[in-house]
Amino acid sequence: MFELDSLPDRPLTAEELQSLRESDAVVEAAPLARAEDGIRHLALQAGERLYGLGYRDDEGWVVVEDRIAEDTDDLAAVRNALRSWAEE
């Protein structure tokens, strides 16, 4: 599993996203929602796992979705899970 403690205690900046992408542990990282203060929803693939990560001020970063990365429909499922989570 991707270690959430490697993320800052706030939304990500564009520079931090680029650092994630360059990490050996990360296959790809893509922002799914940006706010004025940074990236709050993130799709991240580490190894064969695809994670949907969301940030809330009162909770910090949480894993909203965790699945095996098999095809492009998986990214859509992560995006939908993050949208539902954001509406809670």
Side-chain angles (χ1 to χ4, degrees):
M1 177 173 181
F2 178 76
E3 297 295 326
L4 288 178
D5 61 358
S6 65
L7 297 175
D9 290 337
R10 57 178 166 60
L12 284 179
T13 65
E15 293 81 18
E16 290 164 335
L17 175 64
Q18 186 59 38
S19 291
L20 269 178
R21 287 177 168 157
E22 294 170 357
S23 167
D24 290 338
V26 174
V27 175
E28 182 57 88
L32 297 180
R34 294 179 189 259
E36 287 184 19
D37 59 351
I39 299 163
R40 288 183 169 258
H41 294 173
L42 180 68
L44 185 139
Q45 185 176 345
E48 298 298 317
R49 303 297 301 182
L50 180 61
Y51 301 96
L53 308 174
Y55 181 85
R56 285 187 181 151
D57 293 331
D58 59 337
E59 295 180 63
W61 287 100
V62 296
V63 176
V64 175
E65 183 74 11
D66 174 1
R67 58 178 45 232
I68 295 174
E70 295 181 306
D71 58 45
T72 56
D73 290 340
D74 293 323
L75 183 57
V78 166
R79 183 178 289 116
N80 290 338
L82 281 166
R83 279 187 191 135
S84 294
W85 175 80
E87 293 172 358
E88 292 177 353

